[in-house]
């Protein structure tokens, strides 16, 4: 399952974002280091379900799949909420490197920024608008860069000697050193290929400044990030603009204005049947008799989500999975005519796979035995036979044929 980390400084709303995404029970409070041990939970990407397509409706007698809500399928991903990072974390300040280490297992990072400017650099509550959120973006990147630089620097002389004695290429040695950070040899090769200042054949001449630039490039290449501009419902408009302008000017991370608090309120109200609401919707219906206080709160949220076409939380998760990580959704079936499994369940499963994954990769996702005994696949829509190297497209419905 895809693992996505939620990170940022203390009090930026990370735990609220996590709870709003997963409805997990986590501690939320306005003081630094509320999250001591990382919280893990299941969130979902929201996609249109193919079961509403006319051809599938006809083939199934208009039954629908029974696995979607109002035509939307929710496919699970794992969220990891790590404790707040403070300046100097790579040197052990605050709760130190252990939280940087938690980011290793994540394919992508959602950097939750307090766009309201209502918390200072260390996460202490201040007046809204009194802190510049651009500083939080810069400090977070600097911490990640220095974390990787520290790993390289501590072992640099050892790597130099090993390269000389064994003749091993520096990119391989670096990737071995950074494997625990989620860095591959392909990442290193790509970084060195793009760099005009680093000569692979003359790596002994690299300076500390060169190593710092190398670390920055490695992080940018290996850790996909998105900025969730949280507390957008109370943030000064110029703060949101500054975050977006900075991203555009520096070709940096996408910025999604959001309100985790609004999303949590809506999901909680929906769970308690006060409203009808699906994550990612730009409106909701009041379905019971809320108190006057609840009604006023809901109307404030409604004004916000109509302006931004949602709370931004679901959009953030979807953007990470489909835009940053470039995944597609595929639906395996056993009966390509009825779009069902062997017991008649229509489109019973949905799998997230990297774009470029093959029909055989899908078979392995279903079960390793099916992947190993793969013969060919069938496109359930066109009924065309597909080879093992056929690259899947988003929303494909595939029958896998294998030896039993």
């Amino acid at each position: 399952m895809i693992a996505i980390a939620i990170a940022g400084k203390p009090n930026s709303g990370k735990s609220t974002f996590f709870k709003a995404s997963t409805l997990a029970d986590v501690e939320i409070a306005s003081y630094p280091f509320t999250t001591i041990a990382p919280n893990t939970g299941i969130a979902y990407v929201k996609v249109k379900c193919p079961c509403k397509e006319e051809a599938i409706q006809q083939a199934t007698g208009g039954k629908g799949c029974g696995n979607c809500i109002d035509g939307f399928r929710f496919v699970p991903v794992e969220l990891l909420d790590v404790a707040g990072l403070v300046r100097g974390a790579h040197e052990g300040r605050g709760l130190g490197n252990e939280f940087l280490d938690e980011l290793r297992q994540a394919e992508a990072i959602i950097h939750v920024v307090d766009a309201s400017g209502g918390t200072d650099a260390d996460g202490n509550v201040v007046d809204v608008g009194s802190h510049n959120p651009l500083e939080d973006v810069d400090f977070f990147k600097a911490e990640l860069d220095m974390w990787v630089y520290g790993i390289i620097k501590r072992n640099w002389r050892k790597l130099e000697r090993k390269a000389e004695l064994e003749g091993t290429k520096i990119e391989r040695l670096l990737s071995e050193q950074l494997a625990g950070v989620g860095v591959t040899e392909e990442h290193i090769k790509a970084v060195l290929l793009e760099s005009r200042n680093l000569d692979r054949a003359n790596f002994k001449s690299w300076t500390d400044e060169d190593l710092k630039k190398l670390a920055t490039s490695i992080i940018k290449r290996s850790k996909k990030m998105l900025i969730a501009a949280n507390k957008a419902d109370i943030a000064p408009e110029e703060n949101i603009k500054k975050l977006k302008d900075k991203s555009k000017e520096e070709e940096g991370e996408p910025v999604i204005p959001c309100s985790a608090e609004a999303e949590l309120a809506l999901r909680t109200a929906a769970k308690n049947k006060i409203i009808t609401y699906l994550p990612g919707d730009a409106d909701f219906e009041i379905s019971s008799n809320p108190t006057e206080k609840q009604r006023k709160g809901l109307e404030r949220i409604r004004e916000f989500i109509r302006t931004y076409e949602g709370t931004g939380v679901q959009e953030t998760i979807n953007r990470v999975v489909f835009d940053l990580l470039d995944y597609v959704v595929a639906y395996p079936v056993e009966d390509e005519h009825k779009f069902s499994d062997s017991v008649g369940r229509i489109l019973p499963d949905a799998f997230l796979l990297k774009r470029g994954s093959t029909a055989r990769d899908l078979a392995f996702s279903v079960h390793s035995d099916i992947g190993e005994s793969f013969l060919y696949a069938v496109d359930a829509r066109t009924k065309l036979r597909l080879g093992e190297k056929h690259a899947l497209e988003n929303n494909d419905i595939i029958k896998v044929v294998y030896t039993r």
Side-chain angles (χ1 to χ4, degrees), residues 190-388:
V191 166
L192 293 178
L193 188 64
E194 292 171 358
S195 174
R196 298 179 179 178
N197 301 319
L198 297 178
D199 181 1
R200 279 182 284 184
N202 194 26
F203 60 86
K204 291 187 69 175
S205 67
W206 293 357
T207 65
D208 280 358
E209 195 59 35
D210 289 331
L211 295 183
K212 288 178 182 178
K213 291 178 180 178
L214 176 65
T216 298
S217 297
I218 288 172
I219 281 290
K220 188 171 183 178
R221 168 69 60 170
S222 64
K223 292 297 179 187
K224 301 292 186 180
M225 284 188 274
L226 180 149
I227 295 172
N230 195 30
K231 308 182 186 180
D233 51 332
I234 60 171
E237 288 186 15
E238 60 266 27
N239 281 8
I240 302 293
K241 185 177 185 302
K242 283 191 292 187
L243 286 166
K244 287 187 173 183
D245 287 347
K246 179 182 178 68
S247 174
K248 186 175 181 179
E249 290 169 8
E250 300 179 1
E251 296 184 355
E253 298 77 16
V255 175
I256 308 296
C258 70
S259 171
E261 193 171 82
E263 180 69 17
L264 179 57
L266 292 177
R267 291 203 188 191
T268 302
K271 184 179 180 181
N272 293 326
K273 302 187 185 307
I274 297 172
I275 64 172
T276 301
Y277 170 74
L278 276 184
D281 284 356
D283 206 350
F284 55 86
E285 292 182 9
I286 296 176
S287 52
S288 69
N289 294 314
T291 65
E292 186 60 26
K293 183 178 179 181
Q294 289 173 329
R295 185 178 292 277
K296 287 181 178 179
L298 287 170
E299 288 304 325
R300 283 195 298 271
I301 293 174
R302 172 172 275 150
E303 183 178 349
F304 169 72
I305 66 175
R306 282 180 173 174
T307 300
Y308 284 94
E309 299 184 343
T311 67
V313 171
Q314 187 64 57
E315 181 185 356
T316 295
I317 296 169
N318 271 46
R319 288 280 298 274
V320 167
V321 172
F322 295 118
D323 294 351
L324 289 191
L325 297 178
D326 204 16
Y327 274 78
V328 298
V329 183
Y331 301 83
V333 296
E334 293 185 62
D335 186 333
E336 71 273 32
H337 301 288
K338 296 181 179 179
F339 301 92
S340 67
D341 63 9
S342 59
V343 295
R345 295 180 301 173
I346 300 165
L347 301 176
D349 299 300
F351 286 87
L352 288 165
L353 299 99
K354 278 281 192 182
R355 186 176 297 279
S357 295
T358 65
R360 188 164 193 167
D361 292 328
L362 176 60
F364 271 107
S365 296
V366 175
H367 197 283
S368 59
D369 290 345
I370 295 176
E372 289 169 2
S373 56
F374 177 93
L375 292 175
Y376 61 92
V378 176
D379 184 319
R381 289 189 179 90
T382 64
K383 309 301 185 285
L384 293 176
R385 179 167 170 162
L386 310 172
E388 65 175 340

Side-chain angles (χ1 to χ4, degrees), residues 31-284:
Y31 53 87
F33 309 125
T34 299
T35 305
I36 303 300
N39 298 304
T40 57
I42 302 299
Y44 299 85
V45 292
K46 179 184 181 182
V47 297
K48 286 187 176 180
C49 187
C51 77
K52 299 301 182 183
E53 293 175 13
E54 184 177 350
I56 299 176
Q57 286 279 299
Q58 290 177 355
T60 60
K63 292 180 182 177
C65 68
N67 296 309
C68 63
I69 304 173
D70 294 339
F72 289 99
R73 180 74 70 107
F74 290 85
V75 188
V77 296
E78 183 180 29
L79 285 191
L80 176 67
D81 173 28
V82 301
L85 293 173
V86 297
R87 291 172 298 177
H90 69 279
E91 298 174 334
R93 185 167 179 251
L95 295 176
N97 283 325
E98 58 190 285
F99 301 121
L100 289 167
D101 289 343
E102 292 293 345
L103 300 180
R104 291 183 297 181
Q105 60 189 288
E107 289 189 46
I109 299 170
I110 296 173
H111 179 195
V112 179
V113 173
D114 178 1
S116 76
T119 46
D120 66 18
D122 294 320
N124 300 305
V125 178
V126 294
D127 293 337
V128 168
S130 61
H131 178 72
N132 186 351
L134 296 184
E135 294 179 17
D136 299 336
V137 175
D138 291 337
F139 117 77
F140 184 75
K141 289 182 181 178
E143 286 300 324
L144 294 183
D145 293 348
M146 291 304 292
W147 171 48
V148 170
Y149 165 72
I151 296 172
I152 296 173
K153 179 62 177 175
R154 285 194 300 271
N155 299 282
W156 186 242
R157 295 305 173 197
K158 178 181 175 182
L159 295 182
E160 284 185 332
R161 289 194 298 271
K162 193 170 183 179
E164 281 188 328
L165 293 173
E166 300 177 6
T168 308
K169 292 184 177 180
I170 193 64
E171 51 262 47
R172 175 164 295 182
L173 295 175
L174 282 169
S175 65
E176 289 173 355
Q177 197 66 50
L178 297 171
V181 186
V183 176
T184 66
E185 187 173 346
E186 285 67 33
H187 289 143
I188 303 294
K189 286 180 178 178
V191 166
L192 293 178
L193 188 64
E194 292 171 358
S195 174
R196 298 179 179 178
N197 301 319
L198 297 178
D199 181 1
R200 279 182 284 184
N202 194 26
F203 60 86
K204 291 187 69 175
S205 67
W206 293 357
T207 65
D208 280 358
E209 195 59 35
D210 289 331
L211 295 183
K212 288 178 182 178
K213 291 178 180 178
L214 176 65
T216 298
S217 297
I218 288 172
I219 281 290
K220 188 171 183 178
R221 168 69 60 170
S222 64
K223 292 297 179 187
K224 301 292 186 180
M225 284 188 274
L226 180 149
I227 295 172
N230 195 30
K231 308 182 186 180
D233 51 332
I234 60 171
E237 288 186 15
E238 60 266 27
N239 281 8
I240 302 293
K241 185 177 185 302
K242 283 191 292 187
L243 286 166
K244 287 187 173 183
D245 287 347
K246 179 182 178 68
S247 174
K248 186 175 181 179
E249 290 169 8
E250 300 179 1
E251 296 184 355
E253 298 77 16
V255 175
I256 308 296
C258 70
S259 171
E261 193 171 82
E263 180 69 17
L264 179 57
L266 292 177
R267 291 203 188 191
T268 302
K271 184 179 180 181
N272 293 326
K273 302 187 185 307
I274 297 172
I275 64 172
T276 301
Y277 170 74
L278 276 184
D281 284 356
D283 206 350
F284 55 86

